[in-house]
Amino acid sequence: GQQLNQSPQSMFIQEGEDVSMNCTSSSIFNTWLWYKQDPGEGPVLLIALYKAGELTSNGRLTAQFGITRKDSFLNISASIPSDVGIYFCAGLRDGGSQGNLIFGKGTKLSVKP
Amino acid sequence: DTGVSQNPRHKITKRGQNVTFRCDPISEHNRLYWYRQTLGQGPEFLTYFQNEAQLEKSRLLSDRFSAERPKGSFSTLEIQRTEQGDSAMYLCASNPSGRNDEQFFGPGTRLTVL
């Protein structure tokens, strides 16, 4: 099935460093969502974005809805060990099915204390 | 706990057997979704319900798969004549009607077909 292009695939960073990851598509999206998934668990919603250009924060997390509506970015500031996990972008495509979230393949984040 | 719940959390079965999973959405959430996630991939949409009506099915949902939500509350996903390729995490999500964006996921059911 269709998936979003998410990069990087994995990151190994030192505790305290900032993290950036992004998600791109060839299609226009109306909504972008960022989820975090721990091993053996379901994805947990972090941030939701609804308008092009929108910048939204949730604690140390900041995400942006790209102006072209074809991309989104997630930044994590001052990473801590509990940030470890897989981060997924997901979106609702313009003209697509209601509720059919399309996901990226994830960015696996490892944090060295 | 008022989140989405799924049972069982793990299921190991032999090829050719039938399996059934259950999802209990967040109460008052009209919409319920099923996704499948294989190793190293993001979740892929299978189907969704608004109340008891199944409104969409993905091409991934072969004729061996059937989902129901008879009373508009909990849902079941059945896989008949399981194949090794069915091994995956099956995720359920829900949200209130009119908010088809923020979907809240359950912990998933991990299926292993031997």
Side-chain angles (χ1 to χ4, degrees):
Chain A
Q2 177 185 356
Q3 290 202 327
L4 299 169
N5 301 311
Q6 191 169 347
S7 65
Q9 285 188 331
S10 61
M11 302 182 73
F12 296 86
I13 62 168
Q14 201 74 36
E15 182 178 356
E17 290 183 349
D18 297 343
V19 173
S20 291
M21 59 190 79
N22 69 76
C23 204
T24 61
S25 172
S26 56
S27 303
I28 290 174
F29 279 70
N30 290 329
T31 300
W32 287 96
L33 306 171
W34 285 92
Y35 287 87
K36 178 175 182 273
Q37 187 174 30
D38 292 328
E41 299 294 330
V44 174
L45 182 64
L46 299 174
I47 292 180
L49 302 158
Y50 305 107
K51 293 181 183 178
E54 179 181 356
L55 189 71
T56 297
S57 293
N58 178 6
R60 294 178 295 105
L61 277 61
T62 301
Q64 184 162 24
F65 192 139
I67 292 290
T68 64
R69 297 171 64 195
K70 293 183 178 181
D71 56 9
S72 179
F73 305 87
L74 176 69
N75 296 315
I76 305 173
S77 62
S79 58
I80 59 177
S82 62
D83 290 334
V84 165
I86 302 179
Y87 292 79
F88 289 98
C89 61
L92 282 175
R93 193 164 48 87
D94 184 36
S97 155
Q98 283 188 326
N100 178 352
L101 281 181
I102 298 171
F103 281 80
K105 291 188 176 184
T107 293
K108 185 176 182 179
L109 179 64
S110 301
V111 179
K112 291 180 284 187
Chain B
D1 187 346
T2 57
V4 178
S5 62
Q6 292 187 246
N7 288 288
R9 292 292 310 274
H10 303 274
K11 179 70 177 179
I12 300 174
T13 191
K14 291 183 179 179
R15 189 176 53 183
Q17 298 294 305
N18 299 344
V19 294
T20 300
F21 311 138
R22 174 176 171 133
C23 171
D24 287 87
I26 295 170
S27 59
E28 299 169 3
H29 279 192
N30 303 66
R31 293 192 175 185
L32 185 149
Y33 309 82
W34 285 99
Y35 289 81
R36 183 178 73 181
Q37 184 178 25
T38 53
L39 202 60
Q41 303 293 318
E44 292 180 291
F45 172 80
L46 292 177
T47 188
Y48 91 95
F49 293 83
Q50 176 151 326
N51 299 312
E52 64 275 8
Q54 188 172 17
L55 296 186
E56 184 174 350
K57 292 191 284 188
S58 158
R59 286 174 295 177
L60 292 175
L61 210 67
S62 77
D63 55 8
R64 295 184 299 104
F65 287 68
S66 63
E68 295 183 344
R69 196 182 183 198
K71 298 181 180 178
S73 56
F74 72 91
S75 175
T76 57
L77 177 68
E78 181 183 16
I79 309 175
Q80 296 182 326
R81 305 180 302 281
T82 52
E83 302 172 356
Q84 287 185 322
D86 296 332
S87 295
M89 174 81 92
Y90 289 85
L91 293 162
C92 176
S94 71
N95 63 9
S97 179
R99 292 299 303 274
N100 59 7
D101 41 18
E102 298 177 14
Q103 296 181 18
F104 299 91
F105 284 83
T109 295
R110 168 74 65 190
L111 172 66
T112 302
V113 182
L114 302 176

